[in-house]
Amino acid sequence: MTQRDLATEPNVLLVFPRFVANSFWSMTAACELWGAKASCPPLGLITVAALLPQSWTFRLIDRNVEDLADADLAWADVVLTGGMLPQRDDALRLIERIRAAGKPVVVGGPDAISCPDVYAAADFRVLGEAEGLIDRFVAAWRAGERSGTYEAPSGSADVTAAPIPRFDLIDFSNYLYVGVQFSRGCPFTCEFCDIIEIYGRVPRPKTNDQMLGELQRLYDMGHRGHVDFVDDNLIGNKKALRRFLPVLAAWQKERAWPFAFSTEASLNLSDDPELLALMKACNFFVVFVGIESPDTATLVSAQKKQNTRRDIAASVHRIYGAGMFVIAGFIVGFDTETGTVAEEMIACVRETSIPVAMVGLLTALPATQLRRRLEAEGRMLPDPEEMPPDHCFGGLNFVPTRPAAEVLRDYREIIRTIFAPEEFFARALHVGLALDRPTYRIEIYPRLLLRDLKLLVRLIWTMTVDHPEMRRPFWKTSLTTLRRNPRAFEFVAFQMVMYLHLRPFSQKVIAAIDARIVEIAAAAPDGLAAE
C-alpha cells in the first residue's frame, strides 16, 4: 500500500451513472430545446460530498452530462458512485471499470439499498442514508481499510445533520433545474412503493434554517428559476411544512421571487386550503401526484386509500385553483383491473385535464410489499430484474391476473389516446384557462429573459415547422391562453416543451408494446393471445 493510498486527505471522485437513454423522465427533446444536457444534477452525491471531511478534495462527473475520462480515474484515490434502478446498468459497468483501474469504489443510493447483492463487486457498500453511516466509512478509510459494508435501518438518519449540498461542484447551465430536499419518508403504505422501505414511514423534515441556508446558497451562486423539492411527499409532515412555508414565502418576497418551485405530494393536498394557499404564496407552480387508478377497488387493493372517497377530477382542479398544474402517475396491471381499465383511465385523464400523465405498467420493485406478496404466490417471472428499468417499456415482471396481452393492449390504447396531439393540447388549454397564477412583481433578470425568449422562438419553430401535425393545436392553445389567462402562458409553454419529448417517446413505447404482444402471441400454443 502506497503513501498515497494511506493519505488522510484523498482525492474523491464522485461519478453519477447514466440513466437509461429512453425513459419518460429523460426529457431529451426538452433539454435540447433549452440548451441543457440533463434534467437535474445529482443531489445525493453533492450532499455526500458535503458530509465528507471538507479537507478532502472533490471532483464530480455526471455521466448524463459528460464522459468519464481515464485521467479522472488516475487523479482519484477513491471513487463514489450509485443511484437508482434506471442507472443500474451503467453503475455496474462503472464499478468494473473503476476496479480495473485499481481504484477502490464506494457504492450507495436507493438501488444498492434495495438490492445490495447486485453490488457485491464494490469495495465499499453504504446501505442506508449517508447521514447515519458516512462517519463509519471515513473512520475506516483513515484507518487504512479498503473494503467494508455499512448498514443502517430505514428512516433512521437525522436529516437535521445534513449540511448544505456542494452546489459548487455543478455547472447550472447543464441542467433544466436544481433540486433541494425538505424531508424524507412517507406516511402511507402503498403496496407497490419502495420509498417507505428505503426511507421509512415517518417523514423527517429539515429545519427552516437549513432549508433557507440551501436556498440562499443557490441564490448567492446566481441560480434563478426552477428549483425542485425532491421530496417523495412534501406534505408527509404537514405540521413541519406549515412552519416552513410562511418563512419560505417571506424569503421569496424579500428577493422578488427568484425561484419557482416544483414538488411531489399526495392527492390529499387538495383537501387543505391553507397549504394550497401557502404553496401559492411561495410560488410553487407544479406538483406531481400519484393517482395510479380511477378505480376505487384497485386503490384499496394497492393500499392507496388516500385517493379513495374523493372526486379525483375535483381534487386536481382545486390544485389548479392554487396556481399549480399537475403531473400525475397512473399504473396499469393491478390484480383488480377489468377490461374497462383503458376507457376509465382515459376518461380520468380527460376529466382531470392533466397534460403530462405518466402512465406505466405495474412493476414489482425489489424490497416492496408487492414483490414479497407475488413471490409468496409464485407469480414472479424468472429473472424479474432483467425487465427494462423503465416501467413504460418494461413492467409486468410478474404473471398478472388478466392475460398479459390483454393488459398490454389496454396500456397501448391509453398511451395512443392521451398522447395524440389533439388530446394533449386540449388538456393543456384547459389547464391554461384554469390555472390561477399569483400576481407577483417578479424581478426581471436580463440573462433569464434572453434565455426564455430564445426558448420561445425555438418552441414556435419546432411546433410550427418541424412538427406540422402540432401546428394548429399549438397556436390555438397558445393564443387562447395569452388572450384569456396570460399569466398561465409560461406554464402552458412548459408543458408543451415536455410534449416534444413525450410525443416521440409515446410512439416508441407503443412500438415496444406491440412487439411484446407479438412475442406473447408467438409463445401461445393456440394463438389466442394475439386476438
Side-chain angles (χ1 to χ4, degrees), residues 473-485:
F474 166 74
W475 281 109
K476 178 182 178 181
T477 301
S478 299
L479 295 176
T480 304
T481 303
L482 283 168
R483 184 175 70 253
R484 295 176 57 183
N485 192 12

Side-chain angles (χ1 to χ4, degrees), residues 356-373:
V356 183
M358 185 187 75
V359 185
L361 290 163
L362 183 63
T363 303
L365 294 170
T368 59
Q369 300 170 77
L370 177 63
R371 171 69 73 91
R372 293 190 289 271
R373 175 171 68 82

Side-chain angles (χ1 to χ4, degrees), residues 16-33:
F16 195 50
R18 285 196 184 105
F19 285 93
V20 289
N22 195 26
S23 73
F24 186 95
W25 294 114
S26 62
M27 293 296 159
T28 306
C31 288
E32 291 174 354
L33 198 70

